[in-house]
Amino acid sequence: DFGKPDYQAHAEEFEMLAKSAGAEVVATVVAKRDKPDAAHFIGSGKLEEAVLLAESSDVDIILFDQPLSPAQQRNIERAFKLRVVDRVALILDIFALRAKSHEGKLQVELAQLQHLMTRLTRMWTHLERQRGGIGMRGPGEAQLEMDKRMIGDKVKVLRERLSKVERQRTTQRRSRARGGVMSVSLVGYTNAGKSTLFNALTRAGAYAADQLFATLDTTTRRIWIEDAGQVVVSDTVGFIRDLPTTLIAAFKATLEETVQADLLLHVIDASSAQRDEQILEVNKVLEEIGAKDIPCILVYNKIDAAGYEPKIERNEEGRIVRVFVSALDRTGLDGLRGAIAEAKEKIGNNVANLKN
Ligand code: GDP
């Protein structure tokens, strides 16, 4: 983990990620380096320490909190004599477990195949360079080419299916826009409490769990708010630090709902020590998906655990910028509904225009 301020917090977050994938964490090794090692990513001293620890604690699998090159992964596997899963593969795995909708499943499968394909290609060039192609020609090469072609075909089919689903969704969105209904998207760091807040606002039973990425697919529901009327609320996939860029691309369709929203509720775990870092991380992703100019209210959630009272904070122009709530205790929700109504009044007349 490089150039990052809080190794311990990141290690804890990674443990949560591992648990979300169904792993039981036996031991954690934190390595601090300025520059990754080409062969093993971590230094030989740390590697040795980790190997000894793994041998003494009956470990089945090694999870690595960094994207590894195929060569690094193989070298580390050799050192441990165990299967190694890097951060990208782990996150993909969790996404695969969580995807519920047809579209979500297609997106995950596409991202997994793309990840696999880059590995096949790189593995091939790596071996070719190392061994001058000897022993890699003939059936081995043909098999590899066939694998690549089969995956390529599958990727094409998935892309076509996805764009069909996306077209359908755009049509649905347009018809909603014509009705002049305001759309609100919940965004935020994973585990901030988006699903819980979504449930509290819509009184529905969306899945909430103390796991990362409990929400993978965008869930949308129509609610009625006094002084605001009909509002469409969407719960989105949780953002996370260093989300692999390949995943950001693959999940753009999911996040598209966010880009189209009239108002963002940026849900924050007010009780987290990493709160400010997480806010920055989410803002970074919002910028990447082209959503940074959408009006946004910061919702400081979990005030019951953070020791705040429900309240509303305005900026100098009188616009509401922060609302303090507890989605769990359902406190401060009237204030939040009022904030949504006020925001609708401000953007209200532009809703139809914004959509087109
Ligand atoms: P998401 O990943 O942002 O959708 O987060 P979830 O809604 O799944 O919530 C993550 C965890 O935080 C769950 O264990 C929730 O019960 C918990 N949580 C959510 N809201 C609150 C809150 O207001 N107070 C407290 N103490 N915990 C909360």
Side-chain angles (χ1 to χ4, degrees), residues 128-149:
E128 196 173 39
R129 192 170 57 241
Q130 214 180 39
R131 302 166 54 176
I134 297 167
M136 290 306 292
R137 289 182 288 246
E141 181 183 26
Q143 181 62 47
L144 202 59
E145 284 306 316
M146 214 161 72
D147 288 350
K148 276 202 274 183
R149 207 172 321 123

Side-chain angles (χ1 to χ4, degrees), residues 53-85:
L53 191 61
E55 278 170 0
S56 65
S57 41
D58 195 23
V59 165
D60 299 320
I61 196 164
I62 304 297
L63 305 177
F64 212 91
D65 188 17
Q66 288 288 339
L68 295 172
S69 74
Q72 284 169 336
Q73 182 173 340
R74 266 198 317 283
N75 292 337
I76 298 169
E77 278 176 346
R78 235 170 255 149
F80 281 99
K81 299 187 186 69
L82 287 169
R83 198 156 75 85
V84 171
V85 172

Side-chain angles (χ1 to χ4, degrees), residues 189-196 208-210 215 301-302 304-305 326-328:
Y189 208 76
T190 186
N191 225 45
K194 292 179 300 300
S195 299
T196 311
D210 206 1
T215 313
N301 186 34
K302 307 197 188 184
D304 57 291
S326 167
L328 199 66

Side-chain angles (χ1 to χ4, degrees), residues 316-327:
E316 281 143 24
E317 290 109 58
R319 193 177 73 80
I320 295 173
V321 284
R322 284 190 201 87
V323 180
F324 289 69
V325 305
S326 167

